[in-house]
Amino acid sequence: MNRVRNYFWRVVVSLIFAAGLWATVVRFTRGLGGATHLSDSFPWGLWIGFDLLCGVGLAAGGFAIAATVYLLHLEKYRPILRPTILTAFLGYMLVIAALMYDLGRPWRIWHALVFWNPRSVMFEVAWCVMLYTAVLALEFSPMLWERLGWAPVQRVMRAVTIPLVGLGVILSTLHQSSLGSLYLIVPTKLDPLWYSPLLPLFFFLSSIAVGMAMVIFESGLSARAFGKALELSLLKQVARVMAVTLAVYLLLRFQDLVWRGVLSQVWTARGETALFWLENALLAIPMALCFSGRLRSNPQGLFGCAVLVVAGFLANRLNVSVSGLQRSAGAPYFPSWMEIAVTLTIVAAGFVLFNLAVRYLAVFRPAKYDAVTVGVPEGTTPLRSWL
Amino acid sequence: MRALLVDITKCIGCGSCVAACREQNRLPVPADGSWPSQPDAQNFTVLKKAAWKGEEYNYRRLCMHCLTPTCESVCPVGALRKTAQGPVVYDESRCIGCRYCLQACPFSVPRYEWTSLEPRVRKCNLCEARVAEGRPNACAEACPTGATIAGEREELLKTARARIAAEPEKYVSHIYGEHEAGGTSVLFLSPIPFEKLELPAGLMAEPLPLLTFRVLSKIPHLVATGGALLAGVWWITNRRQEVAAAEAAEKEKQP
């Protein structure tokens, strides 16, 4: 049975990669216009709305858990640390990969280093992506050094971990909120159900909630795939943090509608209204469920809640970046199959890389992290098996 | 500062401005001389018709050349810039192709070369070279009726006010572009509501870049206080652990 399932997933991933390869060839020989449904009236589509906005958000667990373990010294969360950092690192690498498709002239991505415009939110976003990817690479690297048995490098890494984690927290806060700030400049274009001066705060809060959801989600997947899961008691705590963050977020979200005097619009019969309720129901239902102690003790229930929160988060980001802008654009946008193929390829690549990392690095069973270990950590496949 | 005044009551829809713009910017000209329904990467201005109360009116679409341009503020690499002489110009050599200018422009003006492998942002440049030489803009020079005239912004505002005052029944009592989005270098006078000319109503009178600047200006404070706060939290929790470890060691010593 397990074999059949593995075979099935291999076929699916291969098909996705084949479609993605085809789309890649079209994108880089026929230009953005040949591969996407983007236009002058709809210049940002799925690659910005999903790959960038959602990719960065889903990686938010990385800074939150790193801060919990290293800055708050809550040692019990250490087992979550490595899978979360790995997710964040892979997430950011994949965001950069997506940017290479979306930028009109991707080979000039370094221009933001040389030509400065500090008044641009996009400039802030570019610097956050670059710096935080570097920080994540360093935070992830101990898994590699330990694997290679490079003790001196491990010692250096341990010395700089604390300032590095602090830097990561600041950069992430800036980055998560700045993705919301990107849309502050379109007050007349973005639908009032989503346009708010509080967009940066909303993006930050929801990213923390979805970061927690991703911790639970990955633990569930890993339990199934590798038989490696996190302790239920820890996940229950993570779920509680998630529920409280969501409660604060949703309270502010509706209060903001009142402040801006657009609360009445949540009842008008429009497509936007349905999407608004879908998004908020997907966040409110798991929030309510996670406040119940009984549900939190049920691994399947926790996993289900995490999936709902991730779905609600994706709905929110796609509403801000796509559905909320359709009406003012005057031209409908729906991604081309090639845009979808590239996005699926990037998601699939994330799963494959995570899988490889879990197999060959000590992601779920860190060998005594603070002691310098030499040799193959327990519970991982010897390196030569995939060479 | 150079500006244009477009008076809809004077436009006869002849298309001279479109032809002059193409010649000035060396844009391709179709055999029949026609133009698309909206500006695109090869048409920086187009003429359109608006219907209002049984009458037909001609109007132009072109870059508004804002005094505090949204496109200039959002460009991460400073490829768009308002020059002291008035034009908002684009530096192709800097552009990375993020298209934030297209997304952010309140007038939805910038266009992109979607099918190119080295795509550029395209839009009216207010005849930057002509302005530098002190010559009138190509479209204004070509206009046979004076529907588009070029001049200093302050002078054109005076002209526009005088026209409204002289024939108040003929015009909507408003100069579009005097205050919209912080003011623009292209001004419109119209006998019909400006929305009919695809000019967005209800734009704030402040420049849009203020919306993001209010947030961006808080970043240095956030970094400084955030850094101090994190260091403080780390120190306290670390100290607590050290004390706990020391106490435990102390207990072990005393049997």
Side-chain angles (χ1 to χ4, degrees):
Chain A
M1 188 59 212
N2 226 354
R3 250 201 168 147
V4 175
R5 203 168 60 188
N6 273 349
Y7 184 72
F8 171 76
W9 282 113
R10 261 178 214 176
V11 171
V12 169
V13 168
S14 308
L15 286 177
I16 289 176
F17 281 169
L21 190 67
W22 182 253
T24 305
V25 171
V26 175
R27 158 66 186 90
F28 290 104
T29 54
R30 301 266 177 89
L32 281 165
T36 70
H37 283 168
L38 296 173
S39 66
D40 287 327
S41 31
F42 218 92
W44 285 0
L46 186 70
W47 290 345
I48 294 286
F50 185 88
D51 301 35
L52 181 76
L53 295 190
C54 298
V56 169
L58 294 173
F63 83 90
I65 299 296
T68 308
V69 173
Y70 288 112
L71 302 182
L72 297 177
H73 285 101
L74 294 175
E75 283 296 322
K76 63 179 174 185
Y77 288 97
R78 197 178 276 279
I80 310 181
L81 187 64
R82 287 187 163 197
T84 321
I85 298 253
L86 174 66
T87 312
F89 178 57
L90 289 178
Y92 268 69
M93 295 302 287
L94 297 173
V95 163
I96 292 175
L99 271 177
M100 290 296 157
Y101 284 85
D102 190 75
L103 287 179
R105 302 193 186 199
W107 55 92
R108 285 183 175 173
I109 196 166
W110 56 272
H111 274 199
L113 289 168
V114 194
F115 304 115
W116 285 31
N117 180 12
R119 283 179 307 155
S120 164
V121 180
M122 190 61 87
F123 176 80
E124 187 198 350
V125 168
W127 274 86
C128 286
V129 170
M130 284 187 289
L131 293 176
Y132 190 51
T133 306
V135 167
L136 279 172
L138 289 173
E139 286 184 347
F140 159 80
S141 70
M143 292 181 230
L144 214 58
W145 310 138
E146 163 192 291
R147 178 72 211 213
L148 297 167
W150 290 6
V153 188
Q154 277 176 280
R155 257 177 242 122
V156 173
M157 276 311 300
R158 251 184 304 142
V160 299
T161 296
I162 299 292
L164 209 56
V165 169
L167 189 62
V169 171
I170 291 174
L171 286 172
S172 284
T173 308
L174 292 178
H175 193 199
Q176 299 293 350
S177 57
S178 67
L179 292 179
S181 310
L182 279 180
Y183 291 87
L184 286 177
I185 204 81
V186 288
T188 52
K189 292 183 176 178
L190 183 57
D191 194 276
L193 287 176
W194 290 284
Y195 184 85
S196 158
L198 294 181
L199 269 172
L201 184 60
F202 289 156
F203 267 54
F204 177 69
L205 284 175
S206 52
S207 79
I208 295 197
V210 85
M212 301 298 118
M214 283 300 281
V215 170
I216 300 170
F217 178 70
E218 273 157 22
S219 175
L221 281 191
S222 309
R224 231 172 270 181
F226 317 108
K228 297 171 183 178
L230 299 165
E231 281 174 46
L232 189 61
S233 63
L234 270 185
L235 294 182
K236 277 162 71 177
Q237 304 264 17
V238 172
R240 188 146 63 182
V241 175
M242 178 176 86
V244 170
T245 316
L246 280 175
V248 174
Y249 167 80
L250 287 169
L251 206 67
L252 258 179
R253 181 86 167 83
F254 280 86
Q255 184 62 53
D256 170 67
L257 294 173
V258 176
W259 282 331
R260 288 186 294 115
V262 292
L263 191 64
S264 56
Q265 291 205 21
V266 306
W267 302 119
T268 51
R270 303 185 305 154
E272 285 90 343
T273 316
L275 289 168
F276 170 85
W277 282 111
L278 175 74
E279 163 197 326
N280 287 298
L282 282 171
L283 296 173
I285 292 168
M287 175 205 73
L289 291 177
C290 281
F291 274 122
S292 129
R294 243 195 33 222
L295 185 114
R296 269 187 284 129
S297 311
N298 174 351
Q300 271 87 37
L302 272 183
F303 186 76
C305 282
V307 170
L308 286 182
V309 172
V310 171
F313 170 84
L314 300 182
N316 170 257
R317 295 307 193 258
L318 288 171
N319 280 340
V320 170
S321 61
V322 178
S323 357
L325 288 162
Q326 297 260 15
R327 191 174 290 260
S328 66
Y333 163 83
F334 191 82
S336 71
W337 75 262
M338 285 181 271
E339 286 174 88
I340 297 172
V342 167
T343 296
L344 287 178
T345 299
I346 284 172
V347 173
F351 277 99
V352 169
L353 290 172
F354 191 87
N355 192 323
L356 282 176
V358 171
R359 199 171 301 172
Y360 298 110
L361 303 170
V363 175
F364 279 97
R365 230 181 283 176
K368 288 186 191 74
Y369 187 75
D370 281 329
V372 177
T373 51
V374 178
V376 180
E378 250 181 273
T380 57
T381 317
L383 201 56
R384 56 179 181 279
S385 72
W386 62 290
L387 288 177
Chain B
M1 186 187 282
R2 176 64 65 89
L4 293 176
L5 174 62
V6 182
D7 188 334
I8 303 301
T9 63
K10 293 180 188 287
C11 183
I12 55 171
C14 65
S16 304
C17 51
V18 177
C21 178
R22 282 174 171 163
E23 197 187 325
Q24 171 69 26
N25 294 293
R26 296 192 192 86
L27 300 170
V29 185
D32 60 353
S34 66
W35 53 84
S37 62
Q38 282 291 345
D40 60 26
Q42 296 176 336
N43 292 276
F44 299 167
T45 188
V46 296
L47 268 169
K48 301 188 74 172
K49 291 197 188 303
W52 177 252
K53 293 189 175 162
E55 301 264 340
E56 211 170 52
Y57 300 86
N58 300 293
Y59 67 97
R60 291 181 66 188
R61 297 267 288 135
L62 74 163
C63 174
M64 298 294 284
H65 296 278
C66 305
L67 301 184
T68 311
T70 309
C71 58
E72 179 191 43
S73 96
V74 299
C75 180
V77 290
L80 288 148
R81 184 169 57 88
K82 175 89 172 169
T83 67
Q85 290 175 308
V88 176
V89 296
Y90 169 68
D91 179 356
E92 183 200 332
S93 68
R94 287 189 169 205
C95 181
I96 58 174
C98 73
R99 312 184 300 285
Y100 197 12
C101 49
L102 277 81
Q103 177 85 319
C105 174
F107 303 103
S108 304
V109 164
R111 297 293 186 256
Y112 205 57
E113 293 180 320
W114 291 99
T115 49
S116 167
L117 288 180
E118 290 199 328
R120 293 173 294 178
V121 170
R122 305 292 273 160
K123 68 171 199 67
C124 160
N125 52 39
L126 204 65
C127 294
E128 187 195 11
R130 279 171 164 260
V131 171
E133 293 166 11
R135 293 161 65 206
N137 301 63
C139 55
E141 192 177 71
C143 182
T145 64
T148 298
I149 55 172
E152 283 295 302
R153 188 168 185 270
E154 286 310 310
E155 295 301 315
L156 291 181
L157 279 173
K158 273 184 209 159
T159 309
R161 275 185 216 115
R163 284 186 194 174
I164 294 176
E167 293 174 280
E169 70 290 344
K170 199 168 148 189
Y171 294 103
V172 174
S173 181
H174 181 76
I175 307 166
Y176 195 97
E178 186 177 10
H179 299 299
E180 275 77 11
T184 61
S185 289
V186 174
L187 307 164
F188 277 85
L189 277 182
S190 170
I192 63 174
F194 291 99
E195 294 99 293
K196 289 278 150 194
L197 315 177
E198 295 179 64
L199 292 169
L203 265 188
M204 52 194 261
E206 286 176 310
L208 270 70
L210 279 181
L211 294 170
T212 41
F213 186 71
R214 278 182 204 131
V215 175
L216 286 170
S217 59
K218 294 195 177 79
I219 290 178
H221 307 287
L222 188 76
V223 170
T225 42
L229 201 71
L230 290 176
V233 165
W234 175 81
W235 187 81
I236 291 171
T237 53
N238 193 47
R239 176 90 188 129
R240 215 182 266 162
Q241 265 195 344
E242 279 175 4
V243 169
E247 278 175 355
E250 199 69 15
K251 261 187 194 161
E252 267 182 29
K253 264 189 207 164
Q254 298 167 347

